mmCIF file of all heavy atoms in Angstrom:
data_model
loop_
_atom_site.group_PDB
_atom_site.id
_atom_site.type_symbol
_atom_site.label_atom_id
_atom_site.label_comp_id
_atom_site.label_asym_id
_atom_site.label_seq_id
_atom_site.Cartn_x
_atom_site.Cartn_y
_atom_site.Cartn_z
ATOM 1 N N GLU A 419 -25.512 29.855 44.474
ATOM 2 C CA GLU A 419 -26.860 30.066 45.005
ATOM 3 C C GLU A 419 -27.732 30.799 44.000
ATOM 4 O O GLU A 419 -28.913 30.466 43.820
ATOM 5 C CB GLU A 419 -26.792 30.858 46.314
ATOM 6 C CG GLU A 419 -28.163 31.098 46.929
ATOM 7 C CD GLU A 419 -28.099 31.799 48.270
ATOM 8 O OE1 GLU A 419 -26.981 32.121 48.727
ATOM 9 O OE2 GLU A 419 -29.177 32.032 48.860
ATOM 10 N N VAL A 420 -27.173 31.779 43.304
ATOM 11 C CA VAL A 420 -27.944 32.529 42.309
ATOM 12 C C VAL A 420 -28.300 31.624 41.138
ATOM 13 O O VAL A 420 -29.412 31.691 40.601
ATOM 14 C CB VAL A 420 -27.147 33.763 41.840
ATOM 15 C CG1 VAL A 420 -27.877 34.480 40.708
ATOM 16 C CG2 VAL A 420 -26.911 34.709 43.001
ATOM 17 N N PHE A 421 -27.372 30.759 40.709
ATOM 18 C CA PHE A 421 -27.667 29.824 39.630
ATOM 19 C C PHE A 421 -28.819 28.904 40.013
ATOM 20 O O PHE A 421 -29.747 28.682 39.225
ATOM 21 C CB PHE A 421 -26.427 28.990 39.297
ATOM 22 C CG PHE A 421 -26.639 27.983 38.207
ATOM 23 C CD1 PHE A 421 -26.624 28.360 36.872
ATOM 24 C CD2 PHE A 421 -26.866 26.646 38.514
ATOM 25 C CE1 PHE A 421 -26.829 27.432 35.853
ATOM 26 C CE2 PHE A 421 -27.068 25.702 37.505
ATOM 27 C CZ PHE A 421 -27.057 26.098 36.181
ATOM 28 N N ALA A 422 -28.782 28.379 41.244
ATOM 29 C CA ALA A 422 -29.846 27.474 41.692
ATOM 30 C C ALA A 422 -31.182 28.190 41.785
ATOM 31 O O ALA A 422 -32.221 27.653 41.371
ATOM 32 C CB ALA A 422 -29.465 26.861 43.044
ATOM 33 N N ARG A 423 -31.162 29.404 42.314
ATOM 34 C CA ARG A 423 -32.421 30.131 42.527
ATOM 35 C C ARG A 423 -32.965 30.735 41.240
ATOM 36 O O ARG A 423 -34.122 30.512 40.867
ATOM 37 C CB ARG A 423 -32.177 31.235 43.572
ATOM 38 C CG ARG A 423 -33.439 32.047 43.919
ATOM 39 C CD ARG A 423 -33.058 33.283 44.707
ATOM 40 N NE ARG A 423 -32.272 34.216 43.896
ATOM 41 C CZ ARG A 423 -31.341 35.022 44.415
ATOM 42 N NH1 ARG A 423 -31.045 34.996 45.710
ATOM 43 N NH2 ARG A 423 -30.686 35.859 43.606
ATOM 44 N N ASP A 424 -32.098 31.516 40.527
ATOM 45 C CA ASP A 424 -32.603 32.301 39.398
ATOM 46 C C ASP A 424 -32.707 31.485 38.112
ATOM 47 O O ASP A 424 -33.623 31.716 37.311
ATOM 48 C CB ASP A 424 -31.685 33.500 39.148
ATOM 49 C CG ASP A 424 -31.721 34.502 40.280
ATOM 50 O OD1 ASP A 424 -32.477 34.275 41.258
ATOM 51 O OD2 ASP A 424 -30.997 35.508 40.203
ATOM 52 N N VAL A 425 -31.778 30.541 37.903
ATOM 53 C CA VAL A 425 -31.795 29.770 36.664
ATOM 54 C C VAL A 425 -32.641 28.516 36.820
ATOM 55 O O VAL A 425 -33.599 28.300 36.053
ATOM 56 C CB VAL A 425 -30.357 29.407 36.214
ATOM 57 C CG1 VAL A 425 -30.402 28.513 34.971
ATOM 58 C CG2 VAL A 425 -29.561 30.669 35.938
ATOM 59 N N LEU A 426 -32.295 27.681 37.802
ATOM 60 C CA LEU A 426 -32.973 26.390 37.915
ATOM 61 C C LEU A 426 -34.407 26.530 38.397
ATOM 62 O O LEU A 426 -35.331 25.972 37.791
ATOM 63 C CB LEU A 426 -32.179 25.468 38.837
ATOM 64 C CG LEU A 426 -30.766 25.116 38.364
ATOM 65 C CD1 LEU A 426 -30.097 24.162 39.354
ATOM 66 C CD2 LEU A 426 -30.776 24.508 36.974
ATOM 67 N N ARG A 427 -34.597 27.252 39.491
ATOM 68 C CA ARG A 427 -35.944 27.292 40.066
ATOM 69 C C ARG A 427 -36.841 28.346 39.404
ATOM 70 O O ARG A 427 -37.893 28.031 38.884
ATOM 71 C CB ARG A 427 -35.863 27.543 41.576
ATOM 72 C CG ARG A 427 -37.221 27.466 42.268
ATOM 73 C CD ARG A 427 -37.916 26.149 41.974
ATOM 74 N NE ARG A 427 -39.281 26.121 42.516
ATOM 75 C CZ ARG A 427 -40.187 25.223 42.179
ATOM 76 N NH1 ARG A 427 -39.883 24.286 41.289
ATOM 77 N NH2 ARG A 427 -41.391 25.246 42.700
ATOM 78 N N GLN A 428 -36.395 29.593 39.399
ATOM 79 C CA GLN A 428 -37.262 30.652 38.879
ATOM 80 C C GLN A 428 -37.307 30.656 37.348
ATOM 81 O O GLN A 428 -38.368 30.871 36.766
ATOM 82 C CB GLN A 428 -36.779 32.011 39.403
ATOM 83 C CG GLN A 428 -36.925 32.162 40.904
ATOM 84 C CD GLN A 428 -36.452 33.517 41.406
ATOM 85 O OE1 GLN A 428 -36.107 34.419 40.634
ATOM 86 N NE2 GLN A 428 -36.416 33.673 42.731
ATOM 87 N N GLY A 429 -36.175 30.420 36.705
ATOM 88 C CA GLY A 429 -36.147 30.465 35.248
ATOM 89 C C GLY A 429 -36.701 29.227 34.581
ATOM 90 O O GLY A 429 -37.439 29.321 33.597
ATOM 91 N N LEU A 430 -36.356 28.053 35.124
ATOM 92 C CA LEU A 430 -36.724 26.796 34.483
ATOM 93 C C LEU A 430 -37.780 26.006 35.245
ATOM 94 O O LEU A 430 -38.211 24.955 34.785
ATOM 95 C CB LEU A 430 -35.465 25.932 34.306
ATOM 96 C CG LEU A 430 -34.379 26.557 33.424
ATOM 97 C CD1 LEU A 430 -33.101 25.720 33.469
ATOM 98 C CD2 LEU A 430 -34.862 26.675 31.986
ATOM 99 N N HIS A 431 -38.178 26.480 36.395
ATOM 100 C CA HIS A 431 -39.226 25.833 37.195
ATOM 101 C C HIS A 431 -38.890 24.370 37.482
ATOM 102 O O HIS A 431 -39.735 23.476 37.350
ATOM 103 C CB HIS A 431 -40.586 25.946 36.502
ATOM 104 C CG HIS A 431 -40.942 27.348 36.108
ATOM 105 N ND1 HIS A 431 -41.224 28.337 37.024
ATOM 106 C CD2 HIS A 431 -41.007 27.949 34.885
ATOM 107 C CE1 HIS A 431 -41.481 29.480 36.399
ATOM 108 N NE2 HIS A 431 -41.342 29.279 35.098
ATOM 109 N N ALA A 432 -37.643 24.141 37.880
ATOM 110 C CA ALA A 432 -37.184 22.778 38.140
ATOM 111 C C ALA A 432 -37.857 22.201 39.376
ATOM 112 O O ALA A 432 -37.996 22.871 40.400
ATOM 113 C CB ALA A 432 -35.669 22.767 38.342
ATOM 114 N N VAL A 433 -38.265 20.937 39.245
ATOM 115 C CA VAL A 433 -38.734 20.184 40.408
ATOM 116 C C VAL A 433 -37.744 19.070 40.757
ATOM 117 O O VAL A 433 -37.749 18.542 41.868
ATOM 118 C CB VAL A 433 -40.144 19.592 40.185
ATOM 119 C CG1 VAL A 433 -41.170 20.713 40.078
ATOM 120 C CG2 VAL A 433 -40.186 18.701 38.949
ATOM 121 N N GLU A 434 -36.889 18.719 39.773
ATOM 122 C CA GLU A 434 -35.871 17.706 40.022
ATOM 123 C C GLU A 434 -34.707 17.943 39.053
ATOM 124 O O GLU A 434 -34.916 18.264 37.881
ATOM 125 C CB GLU A 434 -36.448 16.303 39.837
ATOM 126 C CG GLU A 434 -35.522 15.197 40.317
ATOM 127 C CD GLU A 434 -36.269 13.874 40.461
ATOM 128 O OE1 GLU A 434 -37.125 13.768 41.380
ATOM 129 O OE2 GLU A 434 -36.029 12.957 39.653
ATOM 130 N N VAL A 435 -33.493 17.774 39.562
ATOM 131 C CA VAL A 435 -32.287 17.971 38.758
ATOM 132 C C VAL A 435 -31.449 16.699 38.813
ATOM 133 O O VAL A 435 -31.198 16.154 39.893
ATOM 134 C CB VAL A 435 -31.455 19.161 39.279
ATOM 135 C CG1 VAL A 435 -30.154 19.291 38.486
ATOM 136 C CG2 VAL A 435 -32.263 20.458 39.190
ATOM 137 N N HIS A 436 -31.020 16.224 37.634
ATOM 138 C CA HIS A 436 -30.187 15.022 37.536
ATOM 139 C C HIS A 436 -28.791 15.436 37.097
ATOM 140 O O HIS A 436 -28.628 16.180 36.129
ATOM 141 C CB HIS A 436 -30.789 14.029 36.539
ATOM 142 C CG HIS A 436 -32.016 13.363 37.045
ATOM 143 N ND1 HIS A 436 -32.067 12.025 37.367
ATOM 144 C CD2 HIS A 436 -33.261 13.861 37.309
ATOM 145 C CE1 HIS A 436 -33.277 11.714 37.795
ATOM 146 N NE2 HIS A 436 -34.018 12.816 37.763
ATOM 147 N N GLU A 437 -27.774 14.894 37.795
ATOM 148 C CA GLU A 437 -26.407 15.309 37.509
ATOM 149 C C GLU A 437 -25.434 14.241 37.958
ATOM 150 O O GLU A 437 -25.734 13.438 38.844
ATOM 151 C CB GLU A 437 -26.126 16.636 38.240
ATOM 152 C CG GLU A 437 -24.850 17.319 37.822
ATOM 153 C CD GLU A 437 -24.733 17.442 36.327
ATOM 154 O OE1 GLU A 437 -25.447 18.270 35.736
ATOM 155 O OE2 GLU A 437 -23.932 16.680 35.734
ATOM 156 N N GLY A 438 -24.261 14.201 37.315
ATOM 157 C CA GLY A 438 -23.196 13.332 37.766
ATOM 158 C C GLY A 438 -22.666 13.786 39.113
ATOM 159 O O GLY A 438 -22.692 14.986 39.426
ATOM 160 N N ASP A 439 -22.188 12.856 39.923
ATOM 161 C CA ASP A 439 -21.803 13.234 41.283
ATOM 162 C C ASP A 439 -20.494 14.028 41.346
ATOM 163 O O ASP A 439 -20.107 14.492 42.421
ATOM 164 C CB ASP A 439 -21.732 12.014 42.205
ATOM 165 C CG ASP A 439 -20.823 10.913 41.694
ATOM 166 O OD1 ASP A 439 -20.051 11.167 40.745
ATOM 167 O OD2 ASP A 439 -20.884 9.802 42.242
ATOM 168 N N SER A 440 -19.818 14.237 40.185
ATOM 169 C CA SER A 440 -18.633 15.088 40.164
ATOM 170 C C SER A 440 -18.956 16.508 39.681
ATOM 171 O O SER A 440 -18.053 17.316 39.471
ATOM 172 C CB SER A 440 -17.550 14.479 39.270
ATOM 173 O OG SER A 440 -18.014 14.391 37.927
ATOM 174 N N PHE A 441 -20.207 16.821 39.525
ATOM 175 C CA PHE A 441 -20.665 18.118 39.008
ATOM 176 C C PHE A 441 -20.151 19.272 39.868
ATOM 177 O O PHE A 441 -20.214 19.226 41.098
ATOM 178 C CB PHE A 441 -22.196 18.120 38.977
ATOM 179 C CG PHE A 441 -22.823 19.409 38.524
ATOM 180 C CD1 PHE A 441 -22.598 19.906 37.259
ATOM 181 C CD2 PHE A 441 -23.676 20.111 39.369
ATOM 182 C CE1 PHE A 441 -23.195 21.078 36.828
ATOM 183 C CE2 PHE A 441 -24.279 21.297 38.950
ATOM 184 C CZ PHE A 441 -24.040 21.775 37.679
ATOM 185 N N ARG A 442 -19.621 20.318 39.207
ATOM 186 C CA ARG A 442 -19.203 21.547 39.874
ATOM 187 C C ARG A 442 -19.889 22.722 39.179
ATOM 188 O O ARG A 442 -20.085 22.720 37.966
ATOM 189 C CB ARG A 442 -17.690 21.744 39.792
ATOM 190 C CG ARG A 442 -16.842 20.603 40.284
ATOM 191 C CD ARG A 442 -16.993 20.315 41.758
ATOM 192 N NE ARG A 442 -16.673 21.476 42.591
ATOM 193 C CZ ARG A 442 -16.768 21.456 43.922
ATOM 194 N NH1 ARG A 442 -17.188 20.351 44.564
ATOM 195 N NH2 ARG A 442 -16.462 22.530 44.629
ATOM 196 N N PHE A 443 -20.245 23.739 39.966
ATOM 197 C CA PHE A 443 -20.918 24.890 39.370
ATOM 198 C C PHE A 443 -20.702 26.112 40.257
ATOM 199 O O PHE A 443 -20.184 26.026 41.372
ATOM 200 C CB PHE A 443 -22.412 24.607 39.172
ATOM 201 C CG PHE A 443 -23.209 24.521 40.455
ATOM 202 C CD1 PHE A 443 -24.111 25.518 40.793
ATOM 203 C CD2 PHE A 443 -23.071 23.434 41.312
ATOM 204 C CE1 PHE A 443 -24.849 25.442 41.974
ATOM 205 C CE2 PHE A 443 -23.823 23.342 42.477
ATOM 206 C CZ PHE A 443 -24.709 24.350 42.802
ATOM 207 N N GLY A 444 -21.128 27.268 39.719
ATOM 208 C CA GLY A 444 -20.950 28.522 40.438
ATOM 209 C C GLY A 444 -19.576 29.114 40.207
ATOM 210 O O GLY A 444 -18.694 28.507 39.594
ATOM 211 N N TYR A 445 -19.398 30.330 40.677
ATOM 212 C CA TYR A 445 -18.153 31.067 40.482
ATOM 213 C C TYR A 445 -16.963 30.263 40.976
ATOM 214 O O TYR A 445 -16.949 29.770 42.098
ATOM 215 C CB TYR A 445 -18.233 32.402 41.211
ATOM 216 C CG TYR A 445 -16.993 33.255 41.089
ATOM 217 C CD1 TYR A 445 -16.470 33.572 39.834
ATOM 218 C CD2 TYR A 445 -16.367 33.745 42.228
ATOM 219 C CE1 TYR A 445 -15.328 34.359 39.718
ATOM 220 C CE2 TYR A 445 -15.222 34.540 42.116
ATOM 221 C CZ TYR A 445 -14.712 34.839 40.863
ATOM 222 O OH TYR A 445 -13.583 35.608 40.749
ATOM 223 N N GLN A 446 -15.950 30.101 40.090
ATOM 224 C CA GLN A 446 -14.737 29.330 40.374
ATOM 225 C C GLN A 446 -15.056 27.899 40.821
ATOM 226 O O GLN A 446 -14.345 27.329 41.641
ATOM 227 C CB GLN A 446 -13.887 30.051 41.420
ATOM 228 C CG GLN A 446 -13.338 31.390 40.930
ATOM 229 C CD GLN A 446 -12.436 32.066 41.931
ATOM 230 O OE1 GLN A 446 -12.496 31.803 43.136
ATOM 231 N NE2 GLN A 446 -11.578 32.964 41.441
#
Side-chain angles (χ1 to χ4, degrees):
E419 181 176 1
V420 175
F421 179 80
R423 182 192 66 211
D424 293 359
V425 176
L426 298 182
R427 185 54 186 166
Q428 294 180 6
L430 299 172
H431 308 292
V433 293
E434 190 165 291
V435 176
H436 288 249
E437 191 50 73
D439 55 13
S440 62
F441 177 62
R442 306 296 302 178
F443 70 109
Y445 180 54
Q446 295 183 338

